[in-house]
């Protein structure tokens, strides 16, 4: 949540049924586990988004 706040964004839990249409270039998708990682990879094929695991994002935040 801190990452989203600091970037002027928001946090939303992804819904396969509703959200593919609202993903935009520049969005960040944080995944936990293999299933959500594959969802992020599929979304990255459709839009220029950034995908990070929860641990990757945590490490990025610790460096800032």
């Amino acid at each position: 949540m801190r990452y989203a706040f600091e970037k002027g964004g928001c946090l939303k839990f992804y819904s396969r049924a509703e959200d593919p249409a609202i993903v935009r270039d520049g969005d960040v998708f944080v995944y936990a586990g293999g299933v959500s990682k594959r969802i992020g990879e599929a979304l990255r094929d459709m839009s220029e988004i950034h995908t990070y695991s929860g641990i990757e994002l945590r490490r990025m935040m610790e460096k800032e």
Side-chain angles (χ1 to χ4, degrees):
M1 272 195 335
R2 190 177 105 211
Y3 179 84
F5 175 78
E6 290 179 3
K7 299 295 181 183
C10 66
L11 173 69
K12 181 181 184 324
F13 288 93
Y14 183 77
S15 165
R16 283 188 192 188
E18 300 168 353
D19 295 341
I22 64 170
V23 174
R24 302 283 184 257
D25 291 348
D27 283 355
V28 174
F29 184 90
V30 180
Y31 64 86
V35 173
S36 58
K37 181 178 182 179
R38 287 189 296 278
I39 293 169
E41 290 168 350
L43 292 171
R44 200 173 55 219
D45 287 343
M46 296 182 285
S47 298
E48 292 185 29
I49 66 169
H50 306 279
T51 58
Y52 303 109
S53 69
I55 194 91
E56 288 173 315
L57 186 61
R58 189 179 83 199
R59 288 181 181 148
M60 286 174 36
M61 295 300 299
E62 289 171 353
K63 290 179 182 179
E64 291 183 3

